[in-house]
């Protein structure tokens, strides 16, 4: 059992993803700083926040609901990354690195959700 969300590896990886996304958002052109950059920051912030909030819930079903929201935010972030690369705001390498880390977090969320729903 995990007593504190900070002990969860998925939360720790989500925080690493946050550092990467915030750095990428700063590199976006000025005209995108209050559009795409804000959407990317909100999505990545939602991942860690929902992991933490779900961990603080009393019932497993509630925890799983928050993990599902975190997963959806990871998918939203992947879209934003791909779009930024597609329109030339980020390099292919930048997108691939961040996308891979986001995929890792999403997989970890899936694994944790599975363990909780199977009752382990």
């Amino acid at each position: 059992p995990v007593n504190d969300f900070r002990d969860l590896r998925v939360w720790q990886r989500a925080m690493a993803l946050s550092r990467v996304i915030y750095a990428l958002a700063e590199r976006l052109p000025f005209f995108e700083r209050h559009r795409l950059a804000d959407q990317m920051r909100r999505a990545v912030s939602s991942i860690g926040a929902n992991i933490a909030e779900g961990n603080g819930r009393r019932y497993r079903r509630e925890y799983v609901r928050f993990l599902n929201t975190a997963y959806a935010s990871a998918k939203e972030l992947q879209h934003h990354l791909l779009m930024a690369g597609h329109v030339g705001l980020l390099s292919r390498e930048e997108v691939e690195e961040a996308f891979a880390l986001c995929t890792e977090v999403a997989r970890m969320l899936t694994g944790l959700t599975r363990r909780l729903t199977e009752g382990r």
Side-chain angles (χ1 to χ4, degrees), residues 4-89:
D4 190 274
F5 66 87
R6 293 174 293 179
D7 296 329
L8 290 167
R9 285 184 297 136
V10 66
W11 182 83
Q12 294 166 4
R13 294 306 286 161
M15 292 302 285
L17 178 60
S18 295
R19 283 190 299 276
V20 169
I21 295 304
Y22 269 71
L24 288 177
E26 283 299 310
R27 291 179 31 74
L28 291 176
F30 180 78
F31 65 89
E32 283 296 344
R33 293 257 171 90
H34 298 293
R35 296 179 200 153
L36 183 58
D38 284 347
Q39 290 177 318
M40 290 169 62
R41 284 191 286 262
R42 277 196 303 272
V44 78
S45 178
S46 176
I47 296 168
N50 277 290
I51 293 167
E53 188 169 354
N55 181 259
R57 294 295 172 147
R58 287 186 169 192
Y59 301 105
R60 204 175 274 202
R61 184 175 64 214
E62 290 178 316
Y63 193 177
V64 168
R65 184 170 55 87
F66 280 92
L67 293 177
N68 285 331
T69 300
Y71 180 86
S73 293
K75 292 302 182 179
E76 177 187 354
L77 178 58
Q78 287 179 329
H79 161 77
H80 293 319
L81 287 167
L82 292 172
M83 189 174 72
H86 184 74
V87 299
L89 297 173

Side-chain angles (χ1 to χ4, degrees), residues 93-110:
E93 295 78 21
E94 290 170 321
V95 170
E96 286 175 0
E97 177 188 339
F99 195 91
L101 183 52
C102 193
T103 299
E104 176 188 352
V105 169
R107 285 184 182 145
M108 293 174 83
L109 286 165
T110 298

